[in-house]
Structures are given as C-alpha cells and as structure tokens.
Amino acid sequence: MASLNQAVRREAASCTATAEQPRAPRHVALIMDGNGRWAHARGLRRLEGHSRGVDTVREILRASPELGVEYLTLYAFSTENWRRPKNEVDGLMNLFRYYIRREADQLDKDGVQVRFIGDSSRLAPDLQCEMAALVERTRENRRLVVAIAINYGGRAEIVDAARRLAEQAARGEIEAGEIDEAALTGALSAPDIPDPDLVIRTSGEQRLSNFLLWQSAYSELMFVPEPWPDFTADAFRRAIARFAGRDRRYGAVAG
Ligand code: FPP
C-alpha cells in the first residue's frame, strides 16, 4: 500500500511539473495586418509599410525556435488581395522576390524549411521558379517550418481538396463513403503541417479573412493592437505567454 501511495505521489508530482511548464504553441499562424495604416500614419507610401513588414517577418522567424514554436504560417497575400491597386500588387510581388533572393542563404543556414501554400499558378513564372527552388533547397531543414501563404484563400483550398477527392472517387480510387475529416485534411495543401494552435492577427481587426478556415477549427484566436511593422519579438513573446494561460477544451467540459 505504501508503495502504491508513493507511486501516486510521484505521479501527482510529475503532473504538477508538467502543468507548470509554460505551454508553447507548436504552430502559430499570423495574419500580418496593418502595414498600410502604419505607413499612412507616418506619411509614407503603403509599400513602405509592407517593406517594414518584411523586417518583422525576419524578427519573428528568428525568435520562434527559442519560444518553442515549430511551425509558422504567414498570410502574405490573399486571393482577394488582387483587388488592390496594380502598383501595390506589383510591389508586393517584388518584395516576395526580394525576400526569397536576399534571405535564402540565411534561412537555409538557420535550419528553416520554407513552404508555400496557395495557388502559385497565377504568379509570375520567374517568381514561381524562385519559390520552387527555395522549397527544394530547404526541404531537409527541421529547426522551423515556415509556410508562406501567397494567393491563398481558405475557401479555395477546401474547394480544391473536395475536387481532388471527387476526382479520386470518379476514378474509383476511393469510395464516397470513405471521405471523412482525415481524408479532406489529407487533400489540403500541407497535410503534414499540424493545425495551428494559435492564430494571431495584428492591428486590431477581429476576423479570419479567409485564412486557414479548415485548420483553425480549434485554434486559439488572438487579436493584438500593434500594426504588423510594430509587432516585435517581445510582443510575440507576450502573445505566447497569454496563450499558455488559455484553457483549450476541444468541446469537452473544464477539468
Ligand atoms: C495586410 O496589411 C498585409 C498584406 C496584404 C501584405 C503582407 C505582406 C508582408 C508583410 C510582406 C512580407 C511577407 C513575406 C513573407 C516576405 P494591409 O496593408 O492590408 O494593412 P492596412 O489594413 O493597414 O491597409
């Protein structure tokens, strides 16, 4: 009996230790909003805001591994962003080009695996080539996985997945009755990346704007006031500390 009590005490102590560990979100998805307002408030062009946003991307990537974050997804350009003025769209595409060319060596050296989600077929062919080359070059890296969403829309991604499954069913490769949540998840653009634990949107707006609609079903949502160019590694650290205090129940009752 004594040994059973000791075992129970040991177990309880180990549970307490685990409960006291700050819980890091394994996957953080970021809606990088507020570049335009940041620029406007300083009398700058909107593109200057996006350009400062690239500095923030660099800072957040650098901070992530030490905070225990293993996956980051960055919402860089939505399927709706084509509606912006041509010079802003062109400027953003040039920024992506510049980022890939300038940062490829450092990303690789830092052990970052870069992925892209979204429909790249509408992007300029040279940009598509640079994206594919960066994905190939960083494929084996494991320190941090960064998925960059360009020409991405959550609804479009779900429609594509549904179409892929319907085509497989039409070819007789799967039964319609076999299509379940796991099958749909498997048909999305990055099925090996776990669902985001935390979705952060900067700049005070409180909506998902068609980002990771399927994957964020049980994500914690956090809306922070800073515009993206002002979102520092410290602000990121604070958001992660707040996440650690959230009670994630996945539909169950509080324990
Ligand atoms: C939304 O802010 C931001 C975007 C549409 C672009 C985000 C892109 C970057 C930060 C560039 C770098 C990305 C990578 C991955 C290299 P907004 O301009 O709509 O802000 P507003 O609501 O204040 O106008």
Side-chain angles (χ1 to χ4, degrees), residues 116-135:
F116 292 94
I117 57 171
D119 177 8
S120 59
S121 69
R122 192 172 164 187
L123 308 179
D126 71 297
L127 179 56
Q128 290 183 44
C129 284
E130 304 231 18
M131 287 159 61
L134 183 59
V135 169

Side-chain angles (χ1 to χ4, degrees), residues 32-37 46 50 54 76 81 84 99 148 228:
M32 308 183 286
D33 194 14
N35 297 341
R37 275 165 286 169
R46 292 178 57 79
H50 296 314
V54 176
N81 285 153
R84 294 187 175 213
Y99 178 78
I148 304 177
W228 179 251

Side-chain angles (χ1 to χ4, degrees), residues 26-137:
R26 200 169 168 221
H27 178 182
V28 180
L30 290 154
I31 304 178
M32 308 183 286
D33 194 14
N35 297 341
R37 275 165 286 169
W38 181 92
H40 183 75
R42 288 159 181 78
L44 301 170
R45 291 176 314 129
R46 292 178 57 79
L47 275 172
E48 304 268 2
H50 296 314
S51 173
R52 283 296 288 267
V54 176
D55 297 337
T56 304
V57 167
R58 203 175 291 121
E59 185 169 342
I60 298 304
L61 256 68
R62 199 169 303 134
S64 289
E66 73 200 45
L67 293 170
V69 175
E70 296 170 49
Y71 299 86
L72 277 181
T73 300
L74 306 173
Y75 205 7
F77 194 90
S78 74
T79 45
E80 290 73 35
N81 285 153
W82 297 105
R83 296 186 198 136
R84 294 187 175 213
K86 184 175 177 336
N87 81 312
E88 185 172 346
V89 170
D90 291 348
L92 277 167
M93 296 298 153
N94 283 334
L95 261 187
F96 301 146
R97 241 182 228 105
Y98 165 84
Y99 178 78
I100 292 173
R101 280 183 200 155
R102 218 192 118 144
E103 306 281 323
D105 286 346
Q106 193 63 47
L107 288 164
D108 196 24
K109 208 188 293 171
D110 291 344
V112 178
Q113 180 187 129
V114 182
R115 310 269 289 268
F116 292 94
I117 57 171
D119 177 8
S120 59
S121 69
R122 192 172 164 187
L123 308 179
D126 71 297
L127 179 56
Q128 290 183 44
C129 284
E130 304 231 18
M131 287 159 61
L134 183 59
V135 169
E136 193 48 43
R137 176 174 178 182

Side-chain angles (χ1 to χ4, degrees), residues 122-199:
R122 192 172 164 187
L123 308 179
D126 71 297
L127 179 56
Q128 290 183 44
C129 284
E130 304 231 18
M131 287 159 61
L134 183 59
V135 169
E136 193 48 43
R137 176 174 178 182
T138 62
R139 184 178 296 281
E140 303 298 328
N141 292 343
R142 291 289 176 269
R143 192 155 174 260
L144 176 69
V145 175
V146 176
I148 304 177
I150 300 182
N151 193 23
Y152 174 87
R155 287 185 175 182
E157 185 185 29
I158 295 168
V159 168
D160 282 349
R163 190 177 297 129
R164 226 166 276 146
L165 292 172
E167 285 165 359
Q168 287 174 20
R171 288 195 299 267
E173 292 165 10
I174 51 167
E175 296 286 333
E178 286 169 12
I179 298 175
D180 56 8
E181 291 188 14
L184 200 128
T185 299
L188 296 174
S189 33
D192 56 315
I193 296 183
D195 289 345
D197 302 288
L198 174 62
V199 178

